[in-house]
């Protein structure tokens, strides 16, 4: 994915490569987070973004030599001839540098919004890992559903389009990739459905699905499945075609509107 805007600073984002079509659609939620943030900044004409997929099973020598890090890697050009660059690999540094360099579009999030989203992905992994017959499985499921309901109730209370207002901010770019993993991998490996009665959460996800930032960065369902395969508990892997043999799909609909 490349956006060419000669009059604004150039930014390169290196992400883990899709296993499905070798594209820039990274299965890593962290990589997708920064893709969304930088895409929104690009839409606002604050920067020109180029996204590079990296094959982490056999990284390109140029990438290894230049950056010696796992994606996400963000590179800011300090000069037009690209002879001077700032390379960032730490999420906190990336966050601070984007906010400092590109302040026109305010993407700061409300602390309340960050807090209400802070545990849902943490609760997902123990549930995903629970093997068939685990006596704690239902407890882990209830814990996950409780966190999803917290987000739903917060959205109902605020009445805003997104978590910190009516425009996307950092917290939306952080939580939506995680919600997509919960939805896709949870359904495939645990037959989990995000409850239909969480209407505010579903409406929020639909609004995010409609943004170009999410559409351009969203991984294929099969990449999400492969990303989570190693975290799945024993006997929870369904029979059938392996994700790499399936026709690529991308779930961007909500219940009742497929």
């Amino acid at each position: 994915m490349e956006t060419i805007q000669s009059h604004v600073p150039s930014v390169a984002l290196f992400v883990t490569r899709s296993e499905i079509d070798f594209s820039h659609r990274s299965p890593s939620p962290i990589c997708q987070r920064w893709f969304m943030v930088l895409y929104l900044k690009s839409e606002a004409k604050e920067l020109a973004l180029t996204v590079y997929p990296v094959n982490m099973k056999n990284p390109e020598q140029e990438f290894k030599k230049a950056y010696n890090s796992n994606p996400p890697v963000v590179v800011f050009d300090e000069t037009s001839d690209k002879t001077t660059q700032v390379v960032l690999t730490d999420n906190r540094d990336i966050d601070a540098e984007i906010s400092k360099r590109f302040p026109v579009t305010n993407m700061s999030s409300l602390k309340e919004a960050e807090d209400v989203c802070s545990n849902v992905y943490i609760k997902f992994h123990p549930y995903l890992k629970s093997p068939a017959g685990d006596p704690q499985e239902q407890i882990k499921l209830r814990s996950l559903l409780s966190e999803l309901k917290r987000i739903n109730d917060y959205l109902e209370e605020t009445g805003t389009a997104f978590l910190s207002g009516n425009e996307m901010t950092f917290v939306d770019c952080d939580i939506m990739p995680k919600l997509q993993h919960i939805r896709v991998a949870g359904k495939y490996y645990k037959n989990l459905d995000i409850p239909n009665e969480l209407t505010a959460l579903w409406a929020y996800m639909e609004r995010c699905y409609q943004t170009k930032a999410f559409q351009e960065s969203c991984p294929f369902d099969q990449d999400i499945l492969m990303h989570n395969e190693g975290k799945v508990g024993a006997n929870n892997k369904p029979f059938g075609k392996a994700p790499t043999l399936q026709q690529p799909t991308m779930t961007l609909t909500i219940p009742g509107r497929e």
Side-chain angles (χ1 to χ4, degrees):
M1 175 269 179
E2 186 169 0
T3 305
I4 301 173
Q5 301 165 10
S6 59
H7 60 288
V8 295
S10 296
V11 177
L13 170 65
F14 293 86
V15 300
T16 54
R17 191 182 73 181
S18 163
E19 293 293 327
I20 301 301
D21 71 346
F22 301 165
S23 77
H24 57 264
R25 295 182 179 277
S26 173
S28 161
I30 298 173
C31 287
Q32 190 184 358
R33 174 210 297 177
W34 295 121
F35 193 157
M36 289 181 67
V37 168
L38 291 168
Y39 191 94
L40 289 165
K41 293 287 186 180
S42 177
E43 277 192 320
K45 305 294 190 289
E46 290 192 69
L47 56 87
L49 174 64
T50 307
V51 181
Y52 297 98
V54 179
N55 176 14
M56 291 313 296
K57 293 181 180 178
N58 185 25
E60 293 81 353
Q61 288 301 313
E62 182 181 356
F63 175 82
K64 289 173 66 175
K65 182 177 179 181
Y67 307 118
N68 191 33
S69 179
N70 292 328
V73 176
V74 176
V75 181
F76 300 102
D77 291 329
E78 292 284 69
T79 54
S80 58
D81 60 2
K82 300 186 179 183
T83 55
T84 306
Q85 296 180 322
V86 173
V87 178
L88 300 174
T89 58
D90 180 84
N91 284 306
R92 288 169 297 184
D93 293 340
I94 295 171
D95 190 337
E97 199 69 17
I98 289 174
S99 298
K100 181 179 78 174
R101 286 174 179 263
F102 310 109
V104 175
T105 308
N106 182 11
M107 293 187 62
S108 299
S109 302
L110 296 174
K111 178 131 188 348
E112 295 90 339
E114 293 174 349
D115 287 346
V116 82
C117 296
S118 60
N119 286 328
V120 66
Y121 202 52
I122 295 171
K123 299 296 185 180
F124 174 58
H125 286 138
Y127 173 62
L128 191 66
K129 290 177 182 177
S130 58
D134 179 2
Q136 296 295 310
E137 182 179 29
Q138 288 304 308
I139 295 174
K140 294 170 183 176
L141 173 59
R142 286 196 295 272
S143 183
L144 170 60
L145 294 177
S146 175
E147 293 300 325
L148 290 169
K149 188 176 185 301
R150 280 186 68 205
I151 301 174
N152 178 82
D153 293 351
Y154 176 81
L155 288 162
E156 275 189 347
E157 183 181 341
T158 61
T160 54
F162 299 102
L163 284 159
S164 287
N166 291 319
E167 301 293 336
M168 293 189 94
T169 64
F170 284 118
V171 69
D172 302 297
C173 299
D174 179 65
I175 196 60
M176 259 310 292
K178 296 173 180 177
L179 289 172
Q180 189 72 351
H181 277 240
I182 291 170
R183 181 184 187 184
V184 173
K187 178 63 176 177
Y188 186 80
Y189 290 117
K190 303 288 285 184
N191 199 30
L192 168 70
D193 289 305
I194 296 174
N196 288 348
E197 57 265 29
L198 300 182
T199 55
L201 178 59
W202 277 116
Y204 166 75
M205 292 175 68
E206 183 178 32
R207 286 190 289 273
C208 291
Y209 285 156
Q210 292 169 347
T211 66
K212 290 289 289 181
F214 192 84
Q215 292 170 8
E216 289 295 323
S217 64
C218 183
F220 293 105
D221 296 341
Q222 290 72 22
D223 272 319
I224 291 176
L225 300 181
M226 293 174 64
H227 183 82
N228 287 280
E229 190 173 33
K231 305 168 188 173
V232 177
N235 303 319
N236 282 341
K237 296 176 184 178
F239 292 104
K241 283 186 179 180
T244 51
L245 300 177
Q246 298 172 13
Q247 188 69 23
T249 56
M250 192 179 296
T251 301
L252 296 174
T253 58
I254 65 167
R257 300 191 191 176
E258 287 87 346

